[in-house]
Amino acid sequence: MGIIVSLVLATSATSQSAVLSEDAKVKARWVSQTIISENLVSESLSSASEINFTGLPTSEKIRKILQYTHGAVTLSNSLNSDELIEIYSGIVLEKGNQREKTIYQLYHDYLTTINTNDLQQGITPTFIVNFEKATQNQDWFVANRAWILLSNISSRAGNNNLALEQAQNAFKVIPNEISPYVTDARILTLDHTTYLHNLLLNPEMAIETTVELIKQKQKANQSIDGLSLLNNLIFSLSTWREYEISTHLARDALELEKKFDANLPGLTEFRIGRLLNNQGKFLEALPFIESGLSFAENPVVRKNLSIAHVITLAGLGETELAQAEFTALERAFLSTNGNKNDINFNSARAAIAISKGDRDEALRLTASVNDATVQKLLTKYNSNTSDLLANLENAKDRQAEREAALEREASLQKSRAEQKARTNQLLLILSGFLALSALLAVIFARYRDKISKELAIKTLEAEDADRMKSEFLGMISHELRTPLNGIVGIADLLAMQAPSPDLRHKAGIILDSSNKLTHVIESIVDMSRIDGEKMELYPEPTNIHAIVSELEQLWRPAIEDKGVTFTSFVEDSLSEDIIIDKQRLRQCLNSLISNAAKFTDSGRVHLHVTAKLFEAKGETEVTAIIADTGQGMSQTVQEKLFTPFLQADSTMTRKHGGSGLGLAITQSLARMMGGDVTMVSNQGRGSEFTMTVRGEKSDAAIRMDEVEDLLSEVPLAEIEFEKSQDSLRVNAQADLGASSQNASSQDVSHQDITQDGPLILDKTDYAPIDLASHDLEPDAATPINTVKTMDIEINAPIKRAQPTIRRDTDNLRGLKVLIVEDIAANQDIIKLFLGPEGCESLCASDGQEALDVLNTQVVDVILMDIRMPTMDGIEATRAIRGSNREYKNTPIIALTADVSAETNAACMAAGADIFLTKPIMARQLIESIRFVRRFQDTGEDTDKDTGEDATVNAA
């Protein structure tokens, strides 16, 4: 009994392996269960004449006969190939198109050649060359079939690695379209690839492709040979000693054979018995083996069943019976000139020796079996090198044929023997060079594959690192802006409402510092997006006059407080709209003016904007020159001026601060808008920066040109045309204040300021805040606080008439405002903002609470934070707009610390009216509420139902 236990332990110890993942095992079981449950067994025909074509159109007949012909080629059916080719030719040659005739010829040539050649000894190179030419056919279906047939030739010749490569080439030529030809090509190529993965003992890939093959054939309503699929998987899995899952598949295959005829009776019983023996389950294996012996007729199957029966008896302790049966089997086998050291016979001898307790003999025989198994595997897996050498030899043979052809051609063209000798010499040199090239190509291909894989891994790692960096910066930006919202909000209130000038001054310092910090955060995020090529532009009709007037109004007080003159000039033609990213253009100009103002202590800062039309491209190039009489810079400083995070003066005693990102971002944005930023400077004599951008004319501007052309043909006496009343857009400068009008009206050429040399720029683009008066708009002084979607340009073309501003919309007293914000401090700050206006505030901590409030109370305006637990702001906004309740059209102002364009777009798509970025200023919030109420008062909000944007342009 101890001997039997030893045998069980010895066999079961080798029955476990870790080749397959759990996911692959699940998929393998899915394959067998699907085949069993749906009886996926293809029809069995005894002759080609039994194929039913009744009622099928010609194209379907050709597809069907092609499938059976390919089955005969790949030996997956037992039909006579000559009969199939005869039927095939009768249909195709009479009614087939050129593609179908070409495919028929490929199969005809293939079967003719295969029937007259021994694949193991190779076939004629001409035959291979013809198929290789067919793989380059312009018809992808012909090329696909040629690759499949080439792959089948390589596989039958034992070169399975080359066969798999050719099958992959067959996949590559299949187009991405929907058609019966594409379906047939994908299924056939997938079927062949699955077979090759099993042959090459790639179980994971074999299972994956088997699953996909079943799904594809079910979708195309094609027959499935489930037994063949299961047997192929059992072969590769059992070779890898995956006994448990192999036994499961073999049992399912046997269940199918009970319903349908087996291809080889007794084979499946033998496989189950051997798998159970390998796991030490001898008693369970015995009935399967004896059942197979009762009806197996094939001599090879009977021999293997008999050997398995001997091993089973030995495992069960029936030593004498096992010995007697083995002796009879050995006598019969050796009588037919068999090899007495056959690996299967030695396995049986080892089992008997273990059963007898003869350990020395058992060890010797076991070692012999293991050695033979290892040698077999080494021989098999050494085929990679053999395949490469064989391919090289084939290349040499084909080259030799080419050389002979060239020699014959040369002998016909050359009349003298000396010329023929020189030609032959050159051909021999060429032959050696090509042979060496072929060898080097093989070596290079192997190293190229290795390097390509390493490069792909490094690329993925770099992309992952870039994504993690962007996500980290976005998270840091959000987390910093959230507490800054409280700091800026309180500082803003104190700067306006503190009881003493000293406290207002100190609050202004806090506000200024917070805005600078927020700007640094946004600059870093912008730089990260630019480096990662994630920065996106949002072109829209833009009035350059309006932008320059706005910046002039913003910067004039700060620059003139230093005793410096600020002037500007904008060419008249730029009054028309140009399609360009308005926010980024304003950011670039603001950055350049900021740098000029920072480094200029006396003299002048001048902004000069001109335009140049490129009619061929339909584009306008805008050129902005910012010149100053500041300190200038040396050549060394100029060379590193546009490098991110580098300062012109990086010493501890530097006079001016900044993150060193302003100019780098400005130049990158200008290049994205089709232009660039350049500069000239002389140390001590100022600097001059030139920025160019390009954009197309808007439709409204084009229509204005047409109107003006028409008006130019009408006598002036017949019409009074006043632009202030009849123009299609309003002059934006009308609302900008007298000081900016006077300054901008001076036609100051930029050359006037640089008589003694050019003028500089710094690398920061934020503007100083007037701490004493706070007359500057916070969102204008600092681009970070820009109202993202309340970017209303007076001159922008609008589909509807401008709403009339009513006084009652500006009066917010008694207005009921719902604050949806999960941070209590931010709720308190917004309440402080709304209190002086006489608003009544309601609070909700998330979107669900907001909906509960709206279902019970009437609310005039909703302030919606975006990131909240339970239900976020975007989801809540979508729920409000999608409801049928009375609060459906309540104005919604989105609030968030996330400055990404994706969040902006998501808010507007959900139905928000305005998008405000934290930190939020009191005046900014109040004006936003007044803005949405004005549109609500004029009935503009009803356009939400029609999908029109009745509010504003997104930044």
Side-chain angles (χ1 to χ4, degrees):
M1 188 66 182
I3 296 174
I4 299 174
V5 173
S6 299
L7 177 60
V8 173
L9 292 176
T11 55
S12 62
T14 63
S15 66
Q16 302 297 323
S17 66
V19 176
L20 281 188
S21 65
E22 287 302 319
D23 181 60
K25 291 179 181 178
V26 170
K27 291 179 179 178
R29 291 190 178 94
W30 178 89
V31 169
S32 64
Q33 291 169 2
T34 303
I35 292 173
I36 291 293
S37 63
E38 301 186 21
N39 291 328
L40 300 180
V41 178
S42 59
E43 60 181 334
S44 177
L45 302 178
S46 58
S47 69
S49 60
E50 297 178 9
I51 301 175
N52 184 14
F53 295 110
T54 304
L56 294 179
T58 301
S59 60
E60 292 300 316
K61 289 180 181 179
I62 293 174
R63 288 180 62 199
K64 192 167 186 177
I65 190 62
L66 177 56
Q67 291 177 8
Y68 280 106
T69 303
H70 188 82
V73 166
T74 58
L75 306 181
S76 60
N77 66 44
S78 57
L79 299 180
N80 186 288
S81 59
D82 293 335
E83 293 180 2
L84 287 169
I85 282 293
E86 185 176 354
I87 297 173
Y88 196 179
S89 65
I91 300 174
V92 171
L93 298 182
E94 180 181 355
K95 298 182 178 180
N97 57 32
Q98 184 59 46
R99 165 187 279 182
E100 292 160 346
K101 291 178 180 179
T102 305
I103 295 294
Y104 161 76
Q105 193 63 46
L106 284 176
Y107 279 93
H108 177 272
D109 294 346
Y110 177 90
L111 288 172
T112 303
T113 304
I114 294 303
N115 292 337
T116 57
N117 286 273
D118 182 1
L119 286 177
Q120 296 296 331
Q121 296 179 359
I123 57 179
T124 59
T126 304
F127 175 73
I128 298 295
V129 169
N130 289 338
F131 273 81
E132 288 177 344
K133 288 180 179 178
T135 62
Q136 306 302 317
N137 196 292
Q138 293 183 351
D139 188 331
W140 69 265
F141 192 71
V142 175
N144 171 266
R145 286 306 167 108
W147 277 119
I148 292 294
L149 292 175
L150 267 179
S151 176
N152 194 63
I153 292 170
S154 300
S155 176
R156 292 181 65 174
N159 196 344
N160 292 316
N161 288 291
L162 177 60
L164 182 59
E165 180 182 349
Q166 291 165 338
Q168 291 169 344
N169 288 335
F171 264 121
K172 294 177 182 178
V173 300
I174 301 175
N176 186 20
E177 61 185 39
I178 299 176
S179 73
Y181 287 107
V182 169
T183 300
D184 289 348
R186 285 177 178 167
I187 290 176
L188 177 64
T189 310
L190 187 61
D191 193 359
H192 186 61
T193 304
T194 303
Y195 169 74
L196 291 175
H197 280 307
N198 279 303
L199 277 182
L200 289 168
L201 303 181
N202 300 330
E204 292 269 0
M205 290 301 302
I207 293 171
E208 288 285 347
T209 53
T210 301
V211 170
E212 183 63 22
L213 177 62
I214 291 174
K215 292 180 179 179
Q216 292 273 6
K217 283 198 169 187
Q218 286 179 323
K219 185 177 179 181
N221 197 26
Q222 292 188 13
S223 63
I224 299 173
D225 189 357
L227 275 173
S228 295
L229 294 178
L230 285 177
N231 285 326
N232 289 343
L233 285 179
I234 293 168
F235 166 76
S236 58
L237 292 173
S238 60
T239 304
W240 276 105
R241 309 176 74 84
E242 284 286 355
Y243 296 138
E244 182 179 352
I245 187 65
S246 298
T247 304
H248 179 86
L249 297 182
R251 288 177 185 270
D252 288 343
L254 185 59
E255 185 176 340
L256 270 180
E257 289 183 356
K258 292 177 182 178
K259 300 179 182 179
F260 308 93
D261 293 336
N263 293 329
L264 199 60
L267 177 61
T268 304
E269 285 83 358
F270 161 69
R271 285 178 169 173
I272 297 175
R274 185 175 61 177
L275 288 167
L276 291 171
N277 279 344
N278 288 338
Q279 298 173 76
K281 300 177 181 179
F282 304 108
L283 189 61
E284 191 176 344
L286 186 61
F288 290 100
I289 297 173
E290 291 180 344
S291 174
L293 284 169
S294 67
F295 55 78
E297 297 179 356
N298 184 279
V300 177
V301 175
R302 288 196 63 82
K303 183 196 77 170
N304 288 329
L305 279 167
S306 299
I307 292 174
H309 192 242
V310 170
I311 294 173
T312 304
L313 292 174
L316 292 173
E318 301 289 344
T319 308
E320 294 181 1
L321 185 59
Q323 181 64 63
E325 184 171 335
F326 178 73
T327 301
L329 178 65
E330 187 178 29
R331 187 181 302 112
F333 179 67
L334 293 178
S335 66
T336 57
N337 298 322
N339 181 9
K340 67 178 181 179
N341 291 321
D342 179 88
I343 186 171
N344 293 321
F345 274 78
N346 280 341
S347 298
R349 292 187 185 101
I352 294 173
I354 294 174
S355 182
K356 289 179 178 180
D358 188 351
R359 296 187 177 182
D360 292 340
E361 181 66 8
L363 288 173
R364 184 186 69 78
L365 290 170
T366 302
S368 175
V369 171
N370 289 337
D371 288 345
T373 302
V374 170
Q375 289 175 6
K376 183 178 179 181
L377 291 175
L378 288 175
T379 301
K380 183 177 183 62
Y381 288 105
N382 194 40
S383 63
N384 289 336
T385 304
S386 301
D387 292 345
L388 291 174
L389 292 175
N391 294 338
L392 185 59
E393 289 300 324
N394 289 335
K396 289 181 179 179
D397 292 341
R398 290 195 295 273
Q399 182 59 36
E401 285 193 354
R402 296 189 186 97
E403 292 172 6
L406 289 174
E407 289 178 4
R408 287 192 298 271
E409 182 180 357
S411 63
L412 293 175
Q413 294 176 351
K414 304 295 183 180
S415 59
R416 292 180 297 175
E418 294 179 358
Q419 292 177 331
K420 182 177 180 179
R422 286 195 296 268
T423 302
N424 290 338
Q425 184 179 9
L426 290 174
L427 290 173
L428 288 174
I429 295 173
L430 178 61
S431 172
F433 175 75
L434 290 176
L436 179 61
S437 299
L439 181 60
L440 292 176
V442 172
I443 298 173
F444 174 74
R446 296 178 62 183
Y447 282 100
R448 183 189 62 185
D449 291 342
K450 179 180 178 181
I451 294 172
S452 297
K453 291 177 181 177
E454 293 177 353
L455 179 60
I457 293 172
K458 295 296 183 184
T459 301
L460 290 175
E461 290 176 350
E463 291 175 352
D464 189 53
D466 183 66
R467 177 184 57 78
M468 292 177 65
K469 179 191 71 172
S470 298
E471 290 177 356
F472 174 75
L473 287 175
M475 181 268 293
I476 290 297
S477 173
H478 180 274
E479 293 303 319
L480 289 176
R481 281 174 173 272
T482 300
L484 275 173
N485 186 59
I487 297 172
V488 171
I490 294 297
D492 186 31
L493 287 175
L494 290 175
M496 293 186 294
Q497 301 175 8
S500 66
D502 182 58
L503 284 177
R504 291 197 294 273
H505 176 73
K506 291 175 180 177
I509 293 174
I510 297 174
L511 186 61
D512 184 31
S513 300
S514 300
N515 284 331
K516 291 178 179 179
L517 176 58
T518 308
H519 168 71
V520 171
I521 295 169
E522 181 150 305
S523 295
I524 294 174
V525 172
D526 280 351
M527 200 68 243
S528 174
R529 288 177 180 169
I530 291 171
D531 288 342
E533 298 182 354
K534 301 292 179 63
M535 177 68 75
E536 295 185 8
L537 298 179
Y538 298 91
E540 58 181 312
T542 301
N543 188 294
I544 308 296
H545 268 289
I547 293 177
V548 172
S549 298
E550 176 190 338
L551 292 173
E552 184 180 19
Q553 184 183 30
L554 166 66
W555 281 100
R556 182 177 298 282
I559 293 175
E560 292 183 350
D561 283 349
K562 298 174 66 176
V564 178
T565 301
F566 182 48
T567 57
S568 67
F569 168 78
V570 182
E571 190 174 339
D572 290 339
S573 61
L574 279 168
S575 62
E576 297 178 340
D577 291 341
I578 296 175
I579 298 178
I580 201 167
D581 191 315
K582 176 170 31 183
Q583 295 292 344
R584 295 304 179 184
L585 177 62
R586 182 188 292 112
Q587 178 181 342
C588 293
L589 290 175
N590 187 74
S591 174
L592 295 174
I593 296 172
S594 171
N595 281 276
K598 180 182 294 186
F599 288 92
T600 304
D601 295 326
S602 62
R604 177 186 295 171
V605 173
H606 177 61
L607 171 62
H608 195 88
V609 185
T610 57
K612 180 180 180 182
L613 177 62
F614 293 89
E615 293 184 357
K617 297 183 178 180
E619 292 181 338
T620 298
E621 182 178 77
V622 179
T623 301
I625 300 175
I626 296 85
D628 65 68
T629 58
Q631 64 189 42
M633 65 190 80
S634 65
Q635 185 62 35
T636 302
V637 172
Q638 294 179 40
E639 291 174 355
K640 64 179 182 178
L641 193 60
F642 294 100
T643 304
F645 299 105
L646 287 181
Q647 284 284 351
D649 181 6
S650 59
T651 64
M652 294 288 289
T653 59
R654 62 179 179 157
K655 180 179 179 181
H656 303 284
S659 61
L661 291 174
L663 283 181
I665 293 173
T666 299
Q667 187 181 62
S668 298
L669 291 174
R671 289 175 176 175
M672 291 176 66
M673 291 186 283
D676 201 354
V677 176
T678 58
M679 61 85 62
V680 291
S681 178
N682 289 326
Q683 194 164 10
R685 302 180 67 178
S687 303
E688 181 179 287
F689 285 80
T690 302
M691 181 182 76
T692 58
V693 295
R694 288 195 178 194
E696 298 177 354
K697 274 189 176 183
S698 69
D699 292 339
I702 294 173
R703 288 195 295 270
M704 173 60 77
D705 290 342
E706 294 173 353
V707 171
E708 290 177 351
D709 290 341
L710 290 173
L711 290 175
S712 65
E713 300 174 2
V714 180
L716 293 178
E718 298 179 7
I719 185 170
E720 264 188 34
F721 182 70
E722 296 180 6
K723 290 186 178 180
S724 61
Q725 297 177 5
D726 298 325
S727 176
L728 293 180
R729 63 172 65 89
V730 181
N731 188 345
Q733 294 182 354
D735 295 335
L736 294 178
S739 61
S740 61
Q741 290 177 354
N742 295 335
S744 61
S745 63
Q746 300 174 14
D747 186 359
V748 182
S749 173
H750 76 278
Q751 287 89 349
D752 296 340
I753 198 169
T754 58
Q755 295 174 355
D756 296 328
L759 298 166
I760 176 176
L761 274 175
D762 178 31
K763 297 186 174 77
T764 59
D765 56 0
Y766 57 80
I769 294 178
D770 187 346
L771 299 178
S773 64
H774 292 278
D775 288 333
L776 296 180
E777 285 285 341
D779 57 335
T782 53
I784 299 88
N785 290 331
T786 300
V787 180
K788 291 295 182 182
T789 61
M790 206 175 74
D791 181 17
I792 308 167
E793 283 196 334
I794 299 174
N795 67 313
I798 299 176
K799 298 178 182 178
R800 300 173 287 276
Q802 292 282 3
T804 303
I805 301 176
R806 302 180 182 177
R807 293 186 179 180
D808 58 348
T809 60
D810 291 338
N811 184 6
L812 306 184
R813 185 162 301 279
L815 193 73
K816 188 176 289 186
V817 180
L818 174 59
I819 304 168
V820 189
E821 169 66 64
D822 60 317
I823 298 177
N826 287 342
Q827 292 180 3
D828 293 339
I829 291 168
I830 296 175
K831 288 179 183 178
L832 291 174
F833 287 171
L834 299 175
E837 301 295 329
C839 299
E840 179 183 347
S841 299
L842 302 174
C843 294
S845 298
D846 56 57
Q848 186 57 55
E849 287 188 18
L851 292 175
D852 294 339
V853 172
L854 291 172
N855 285 325
T856 58
Q857 299 190 52
V858 177
V859 173
D860 296 307
V861 176
I862 302 171
L863 305 180
M864 181 73 71
D865 187 32
I866 300 304
R867 293 196 180 185
M868 295 181 295
T870 307
M871 180 186 287
D872 62 39
I874 293 176
E875 186 178 356
T877 301
R878 193 178 294 116
I880 293 170
R881 294 299 186 226
S883 69
N884 291 323
R885 304 294 297 272
E886 59 277 4
Y887 55 75
K888 174 181 180 180
N889 293 322
T890 303
I892 299 176
I893 301 175
L895 311 175
T896 184
D898 189 346
V899 298
S900 67
E902 292 82 359
T903 301
N904 182 350
C907 290
M908 301 307 294
D913 296 284
I914 290 179
F915 180 93
L916 298 184
T917 303
K918 296 178 182 177
I920 302 165
M921 313 291 281
R923 185 183 305 177
Q924 178 186 18
L925 180 63
I926 299 304
E927 289 303 320
S928 300
I929 294 174
R930 287 175 176 156
F931 170 76
V932 296
R933 291 196 68 222
R934 292 169 191 165
F935 277 94
Q936 185 187 35
D937 187 59
T938 58
E940 294 292 332
D941 58 319
T942 59
D943 284 343
K944 293 187 184 78
D945 296 334
T946 66
E948 296 184 22
D949 184 5
T951 54
V952 290
N953 298 320

